[in-house]
Amino acid sequence: MKADQPAQLGAFGFLSSDEVYRKGVANAGILDQQMALQWVQQYIHLFGGDNRKVTIFGESAGAGSVMLHDIAYGGTLGTSLFRNSISASPYLAYQYGYKDWQPSQSYYAFASAAGCDARNAYLHNGSTPIFDCLTSKDTATLMEANVNVSQSGTWGTWSFLPVTDGRLITERPSKQLLEGRVNGLNHLAGHNALEGASWVPPNIDTIDDFVDYLRVIFPNFSNNDIAKVLLYYPMSNASVSPNAADYATEGSYGPTTINESTAATGQQQRAIAIYGETTFICPSYWLAEAYSDNGYGGQGWKYQFSIPNAYHGADGPAYFSNPADTDYYSSDFIVAFMTMLGNFIVNDDPDVSSLINNGNSTGNSTYNPASQWPPYSIYNPVLMDFNTTCPYTKEIGGLPYCTGPGELNTIRLANAYTWEGGRGTRCDFWRSLGELVPE
């Protein structure tokens, strides 16, 4: 699942309006993926595969796509397309109805940019409807219109996104996941410690800046809703200054990500925390919970990738590096992380041995509690924290990474609900506001 699919496909995958719904199809990008999954089911045996053991895996918007396949058709598909699913930082943008104001305005903006003026939306005096006009345009014209409209949005937003169409996607993810109506059997949900840092404008210094930012990203919020956000994301007096020291939080004690990180402090970090939790982190909680004792014999597991910088996408080298390539992370960590993923795919369980969790190179097979990773549940909301010591930082692409000789695995179990000063409570809060966000 391509991680930045909405950004790349734009209107070609996610153009939506009442006219698109009537004359074409909404969520074309997700339907294309579904067709690929159907192809896999039909032909995987020719490649030595077993269509009963398919796992789908996505990161960022790709993980958002996985989430939509998990809830497709109201969660009525069972294991007909896949058995397991993995979401790494599942991207949940505003999910409007297919003909709501926002997708409709993007549709009209796209039409105007392509030379199909919105004033010709209906047949009269021989004019051509927008949809018919668009289908007559050449690819280069549509590509240019797609780029122009996609680049016109506010910071951290996209013009063309998946929508609730009543067919493929019947509910907001936050609502349907709460009801546990999902496809597939098991799910592994992960997020990074500092998901929001790259997506928030870098000039939020005062409380007024912060409230103005909230009004931009949550245009449906009343003053009371804004007040509730301030309550759930309190500002510590020790961290009000934007010049305070930057450091990674411990997660289970001490200052929290609401006020402190390696990216920022004060109101800037407060905004980063909100964007990260609403867009990537809380959806991963909701996915793990949805698969918990889902009535079909399946389970969900939850983890956090914490090695600084732990920005959105920083976990990529842990998924795809050769263990001998230690530019980003140690060989011991890469082996542990990849083994976790492999065990989930092959064995339906992400447990990893004590030796591998402690670090292969150490030869230390002493019992590590993390080697017995229980499934996530409301009654026992367990999170696996994947981290290492940080002997020194190495700058790669302008960002500091903890790596180098002496880097040791520090993989541990924690309470996901109380993590980072009560993240579970904050995710419950965001779900309660799903109709206003919407998500």
Side-chain angles (χ1 to χ4, degrees):
M1 302 295 179
K2 188 63 178 176
D4 49 0
Q5 189 191 58
Q8 288 196 344
L9 291 181
F12 293 102
F14 299 101
L15 190 68
S16 183
S17 71
D18 183 53
E19 193 172 30
V20 170
Y21 183 84
R22 288 185 288 105
K23 294 192 172 188
V25 64
N27 293 318
I30 304 301
L31 288 168
D32 281 351
Q33 294 176 350
Q34 187 180 84
M35 183 175 291
L37 294 176
Q38 292 167 345
W39 187 95
V40 169
Q41 285 295 313
Q42 187 171 356
Y43 296 111
I44 192 172
H45 69 281
L46 299 178
F47 299 86
D50 185 340
N51 65 357
R52 298 168 301 175
K53 297 183 178 180
V54 172
T55 296
I56 60 174
F57 176 17
E59 182 173 18
S60 189
S65 294
V66 167
M67 177 171 54
L68 295 180
H69 289 294
D70 287 335
I71 66 170
Y73 300 107
T76 61
L77 299 180
T79 56
S80 61
L81 292 181
F82 54 89
R83 177 180 178 84
N84 297 330
S85 52
I86 304 173
S87 60
S89 306
Y91 176 56
L92 177 55
Y94 278 16
Q95 186 169 302
Y96 294 94
Y98 70 90
K99 60 180 180 180
D100 284 353
W101 180 86
Q102 194 281 335
S104 296
Q105 290 304 305
S106 293
Y107 175 64
Y108 294 134
F110 176 72
S112 180
C116 298
D117 196 289
R119 288 171 294 182
N120 294 327
Y122 302 99
L123 282 172
H124 53 86
N125 298 327
S127 61
T128 304
I130 287 179
F131 191 87
D132 295 344
C133 177
L134 288 172
T135 59
S136 71
K137 296 295 183 178
D138 61 77
T139 301
T141 298
L142 297 176
M143 290 176 64
E144 184 176 359
N146 183 40
V147 170
N148 289 337
V149 176
S150 295
Q151 292 179 345
S152 66
T154 57
W155 191 302
T157 66
W158 310 105
S159 297
F160 305 103
L161 292 163
V163 294
T164 303
D165 59 17
R167 295 176 181 175
L168 177 67
I169 308 300
T170 61
E171 293 279 6
R172 299 189 316 274
S174 60
K175 183 176 186 295
Q176 186 172 326
L177 292 173
L178 176 63
E179 297 165 355
R181 295 186 288 117
V182 290
N183 301 315
L185 191 64
N186 303 296
H187 190 88
L188 178 62
H191 70 269
N192 292 0
L194 196 50
E195 292 280 7
S198 301
W199 307 100
V200 175
N203 55 353
I204 303 175
D205 298 326
T206 67
I207 182 63
D208 289 338
D209 294 338
F210 177 68
V211 171
D212 288 344
Y213 172 73
L214 293 180
R215 295 195 187 283
V216 169
I217 62 172
F218 303 120
N220 296 330
F221 276 17
S222 67
N223 288 337
N224 283 342
D225 296 324
I226 296 292
K228 290 176 185 176
V229 174
L230 299 179
L231 177 66
Y232 277 87
Y233 289 82
M235 176 56 62
S236 165
N237 290 333
S239 303
V240 169
S241 170
N243 299 317
D246 300 341
Y247 59 89
T249 54
E250 293 289 342
S252 54
Y253 62 90
T256 75
T257 190
I258 295 175
N259 299 152
E260 299 281 350
S261 80
T262 56
T265 57
Q267 303 294 347
Q268 182 71 32
Q269 178 55 30
R270 203 179 190 186
I272 288 171
I274 287 174
Y275 189 95
E277 291 187 349
T278 57
T279 310
F280 300 105
I281 298 175
C282 290
S284 74
Y285 272 60
W286 300 335
L287 278 162
E289 182 181 314
Y291 280 84
S292 171
D293 299 319
N294 57 21
Y296 305 104
Q299 299 288 355
W301 284 265
K302 183 79 196 76
Y303 71 87
Q304 175 172 299
F305 180 91
S306 297
I307 303 178
N309 58 64
Y311 276 38
H312 181 72
D315 51 335
Y319 297 119
F320 304 117
S321 293
N322 185 317
D325 177 9
T326 57
D327 282 346
Y328 289 89
Y329 308 115
S330 70
S331 176
D332 279 348
F333 182 82
I334 292 171
V335 167
F337 206 66
M338 287 185 171
T339 301
M340 176 269 293
L341 291 171
N343 286 350
F344 176 75
I345 293 168
V346 175
N347 303 323
D348 299 339
D349 190 322
D351 273 359
V352 174
S353 71
S354 292
L355 173 61
I356 293 178
N357 273 331
N358 293 335
N360 250 346
S361 69
T362 68
N364 178 14
S365 58
T366 304
Y367 173 71
N368 185 328
S371 65
Q372 293 183 311
W373 182 359
Y376 188 97
S377 73
I378 296 174
Y379 308 103
N380 188 30
V382 175
L383 173 147
M384 183 72 79
D385 182 42
F386 283 93
N387 206 344
T388 66
T389 59
C390 189
Y392 65 88
T393 59
K394 175 180 181 181
E395 186 169 303
I396 305 174
L399 292 173
Y401 286 80
C402 288
T403 186
E407 182 182 12
L408 300 175
N409 289 357
T410 56
I411 300 172
R412 57 176 174 147
L413 296 172
N415 185 312
Y417 209 82
T418 58
W419 187 254
E420 289 291 3
R423 177 170 280 159
T425 301
R426 297 195 295 274
C427 288
D428 288 344
F429 164 68
W430 288 115
R431 176 141 55 187
S432 74
L433 295 176
E435 290 186 1
L436 296 175
V437 174
E439 57 193 10

